[in-house]
Amino acid sequence: MHIETHGDGVDLVLIHGWAMHGGIFAPLLAALAPHFRVHLVDLPGHGLGRDETRFDVVDSARRIAAATPRALWVGWSLGGLVALRAALDAPTRVRGLVMLASSPRFVAAPGWPHGVATTVFGEFASELHARYRHAIERFLALETLGSTHAQAELRELKQIVFARGEPRLDALCDGLAALDANDLRDALGGLAMPSLWIGGRRDRLVPPGAMRWAAEHAPDARHLEFNGGHAPFLDFAPAIADALVAFAAELPA
């Protein structure tokens, strides 16, 4: 794992999604740095955390909480699972929780239409072993589906994904398994801090309905939606930063 710190102000932990690294947040980081001291994480097996081969949601949450001050935690996609796990397991370390296009359950199930098909993550895991880069780029394409500037976003993501080296294969498989297996819907009622659920209206991986549902079932929660896809911070960085500043200002000291 690698954690670097930028800016000065209220502490904020920022965690990326599957196959990515903290560099994906460059537009958002620029908007956040004047207001926050941002602890930018590269998860195990990703980016500058590539010295580790495996990834585990619970272990990552524990280690980030131990390595950073009490903070507002912001997690995107897979990173949201880590942030949510920390909020549940180490509530004294998490002042507030922001979930960026990240839901308590990523796969569809009876009574839960707000996720991807159960076969998707298994298919990606198989393809990773056969065609590593192609599988990652196909996942990136899914992330940009529904975005107003899908082609431009896909080009940007392809440029960023390997900018800090190739993510570790085992860690990627661990991440897919975590997305497939985790179901934290019943745990939302136990959140001890305010939460903000930010989604993209056109997101095809984490539908808006998942974000609205989560905000309705978590205590002291609210929902914010942008007209974007799975990575709304690429198009709406200043507006999302403003929302985080306002949310942080309302948190208990």
Side-chain angles (χ1 to χ4, degrees):
M1 183 181 297
H2 175 81
I3 303 176
E4 58 191 57
T5 301
H6 301 264
D8 187 28
V10 177
D11 287 294
L12 181 149
V13 171
L14 188 56
I15 311 173
H16 63 84
W18 185 81
M20 275 294 174
H21 50 77
I24 184 65
F25 291 121
L28 185 59
L29 181 62
L32 291 175
H35 308 281
F36 296 96
R37 182 167 61 169
V38 181
H39 305 277
L40 190 65
V41 177
D42 279 1
L43 290 169
H46 299 70
L48 299 179
R50 285 182 301 111
D51 55 328
E52 298 184 53
T53 60
R54 307 308 298 252
F55 162 78
D56 179 78
V57 169
V58 174
D59 179 65
S60 295
R62 177 188 60 79
R63 291 168 59 192
I64 296 169
T68 57
R70 185 168 181 263
L72 168 61
W73 282 52
V74 182
W76 170 53
S77 197
L78 175 63
L81 277 182
V82 177
L84 180 53
R85 190 72 263 171
L88 293 167
D89 294 347
T92 60
R93 309 298 297 160
V94 182
R95 292 184 61 228
L97 172 68
V98 178
M99 300 285 280
L100 274 174
S102 183
S103 81
R105 181 184 174 102
F106 278 77
V107 295
W112 181 252
H114 310 301
V116 299
T118 56
T119 58
V120 168
F121 296 116
E123 291 173 354
F124 273 112
S126 298
E127 190 173 10
L128 272 172
H129 288 278
R131 295 195 294 170
Y132 175 87
R133 283 181 173 256
H134 181 269
I136 292 175
E137 290 181 359
R138 191 159 74 89
F139 194 89
L140 299 182
L142 278 179
E143 291 183 336
T144 62
L145 281 177
S147 173
T148 306
H149 308 100
Q151 291 302 315
E153 281 189 14
L154 181 56
R155 286 193 297 272
E156 184 174 0
L157 291 177
K158 285 182 178 180
Q159 290 174 351
I160 293 171
V161 65
F162 300 121
R164 297 186 178 182
E166 293 187 349
R168 294 289 190 118
L169 176 60
D170 286 344
L172 293 181
C173 291
D174 291 341
L176 290 175
L179 290 171
D180 188 23
N182 274 265
D183 185 353
L184 298 177
R185 289 176 295 170
D186 290 343
L188 291 185
L191 284 174
M193 70 290 297
S195 59
L196 174 62
W197 301 74
I198 301 177
R201 191 169 298 128
R202 304 181 182 197
D203 193 340
R204 304 291 179 85
L205 281 176
V206 180
M211 307 300 287
R212 288 192 291 266
W213 186 96
E216 290 169 0
H217 287 78
D220 198 5
R222 68 191 73 175
H223 171 246
L224 182 61
E225 194 168 283
F226 288 90
N227 191 31
H230 189 61
F233 53 86
L234 294 180
D235 279 339
F236 302 100
I240 289 177
D242 287 346
L244 297 185
V245 170
F247 181 65
E250 298 174 3
L251 294 176

